[in-house]
Amino acid sequence: TSYQGMMSDWYYEGDENKLPTHFKSSNPAITDMAYMFQGYPTATLNLDFNTSNVTTMADMFSGTKATNLDLSGFNTDKVENMSSMFNGAEASVIDISSFKLADTQPDVSNMFKDAEATTVYVRSQADIDYIIANHGSDLPANINFVIK
């Protein structure tokens, strides 16, 4: 039931061009995706996951070098922990427009700490307000939330 740390740190420096960039799983039993892509060095990540029962995505993309993270197909209705999810991520665009943050109220502490994102697509102003109120540390000044 866990993909925790699945792609995190199993590769060696210089392997970036040999690593997979497409990931797909329809397994509804997965509940833990913490640290799954932590530090993943590829610029491209194409993700197609059944996330309907996932409860934790803490540090899922922390330190990743993916430049565009499109998570708009993720169902995060049961996620309780998104802390540090994009901490230090180099993604310039992050699409979390399917996340119902204000409605489900997961832990979003340090969700974007030290992230280099310039555009973060969200569902609503309520979600932006929820992130700002619950982030904990200061949000990076370069982040621009855009309602999609």
Side-chain angles (χ1 to χ4, degrees):
T1 63
S2 177
Y3 282 163
Q4 182 174 357
M6 183 174 86
M7 301 306 294
S8 175
D9 298 330
W10 66 270
Y11 47 85
Y12 297 99
E13 193 168 330
D15 284 347
E16 290 87 351
N17 294 328
K18 301 175 191 171
L19 294 172
T21 58
H22 292 71
F23 298 90
K24 181 175 183 170
S25 174
S26 58
N27 187 347
I30 301 304
T31 60
D32 186 351
M33 291 183 157
Y35 303 96
M36 187 172 178
F37 291 101
Q38 182 183 35
Y40 204 67
T42 64
T44 303
L45 280 176
N46 294 306
L47 308 172
D48 183 9
F49 290 120
N50 179 339
T51 57
S52 61
N53 289 307
V54 174
T55 58
T56 184
M57 292 182 172
D59 287 283
M60 186 174 179
F61 298 100
S62 62
T64 188
K65 296 191 183 337
T67 55
N68 183 352
L69 288 171
D70 183 356
L71 311 181
S72 62
F74 279 28
N75 175 342
T76 61
D77 291 354
K78 294 183 181 176
V79 177
E80 299 168 0
N81 188 349
M82 294 182 183
S83 64
S84 301
M85 187 172 179
F86 305 104
N87 181 12
E90 294 183 11
S92 56
V93 176
I94 299 173
D95 188 339
I96 58 172
S97 60
S98 65
F99 293 24
K100 300 173 186 170
L101 301 173
D103 296 340
T104 59
Q105 299 189 349
D107 178 355
V108 294
S109 59
N110 298 311
M111 187 176 190
F112 295 100
K113 183 179 180 195
D114 299 325
E116 294 182 13
T118 53
T119 303
V120 176
Y121 292 106
V122 295
R123 181 180 64 106
S124 67
Q125 184 62 48
D127 291 335
I128 295 170
D129 295 342
Y130 182 79
I131 292 168
I132 291 170
N134 295 284
H135 193 267
S137 64
D138 292 335
L139 281 164
N142 53 309
I143 290 183
N144 180 35
F145 290 106
V146 177
I147 297 170
K148 189 172 181 183

